Amino acid sequence: LNPVPLFNVREGYGAYLVPGVAVLIVQQALLMAVAMLMGSWHEAGGRPLARDLGSFTGVWLAWTSAAALHCAYWFGFVLWFQDYPRGGNLAGLAGFMLLFAGTLAGLALLVGSLFRTRERSVQLMIGLAMPILFLAGLAWPGEALPPLLQGLRWLLPSTAGIQGFVALNQLGAHWSEIANEVWVLSALLPVFTVLAAWRWRGIGA
């Protein structure tokens, strides 16, 4: 038996785990940042922005840009600087990055609207990081999860994000090969954004 690694050519733990964990870092960092900001607004007596859809759109675009820049930093600089496997489908990666960033911004604004104190978000997000990583199917096969969790895990952008980014950036996959991940994020994007806009306007808050 002569095993030949195809993508993790150095058979290192970092080369296997870091590209996927980078997606989780982007997600948890944005969730904490938005929740802390909105929790601070609530503690101060209310947010300093109007409740109309124009204000919400501006905030959503701002956080989408922040998430996209964070992804670009990881996949465009960090992996190159640290010499991790990279250089796959760059055009596909850029498009998938924007889809992931928009979905994540919608989720962050929705989750952030639920916090009344800024510290609670950090306590919750840090504690959930490891379970979310296992649910993503990177460190633990998704097929080995209980049937209920196999379905619920796709409600997290990180599940489709980790699978999609690793396939595009490390394996050079085409969008047709990550169609499932693209469809999942495309379905979550309007759901999270609409619910976040509903919360933003103060309905049910």
Side-chain angles (χ1 to χ4, degrees):
L1 177 63
N2 183 23
V4 179
L6 295 180
F7 302 105
N8 185 4
V9 294
R10 299 175 185 174
E11 298 184 271
Y13 185 72
Y16 139 69
L17 195 61
V18 169
V21 172
V23 182
L24 181 61
I25 292 173
V26 172
Q27 173 177 289
Q28 298 304 98
L30 192 78
L31 289 176
M32 284 190 289
V34 175
M36 288 181 67
L37 176 63
M38 298 184 77
S40 298
W41 287 349
H42 185 81
E43 289 179 345
R47 60 174 174 266
L49 299 174
R51 294 177 178 267
D52 58 20
L53 290 179
S55 297
F56 170 80
T57 302
V59 172
W60 175 78
L61 288 173
W63 286 117
T64 298
S65 300
L69 288 173
H70 200 177
C71 289
Y73 168 73
W74 273 99
F75 295 108
F77 173 73
V78 173
L79 297 185
W80 164 78
F81 186 75
Q82 297 294 338
D83 198 25
Y84 285 112
R86 65 197 181 281
N89 184 353
L90 295 181
L93 186 69
F96 191 78
M97 179 182 67
L98 294 176
L99 179 60
F100 175 77
T103 304
L104 183 55
L107 176 63
L109 288 168
L110 175 61
V111 171
S113 70
L114 304 177
F115 286 93
R116 296 295 179 262
T117 56
R118 51 183 286 169
E119 293 81 8
R120 290 288 180 266
S121 62
V122 178
Q123 297 167 346
L124 181 62
M125 300 306 169
I126 291 178
L128 288 176
M130 287 306 298
I132 291 174
L133 177 62
F134 279 97
L135 288 174
L138 178 68
W140 185 264
E143 293 77 9
L145 294 171
L148 179 61
L149 292 180
Q150 289 186 31
L152 291 178
R153 71 192 187 106
W154 292 104
L155 295 177
L156 297 167
S158 56
T159 300
I162 288 174
Q163 299 294 334
F165 277 118
V166 169
L168 290 167
N169 196 48
Q170 272 64 55
L171 309 180
H174 297 286
W175 266 47
S176 60
E177 296 173 291
I178 59 164
N180 181 61
E181 287 76 13
V182 171
W183 280 112
V184 167
L185 291 179
S186 298
L188 293 178
L189 173 61
V191 172
F192 288 154
T193 306
V194 169
L195 289 176
W198 174 67
R199 291 286 299 176
W200 180 268
R201 300 192 66 184
I203 302 174

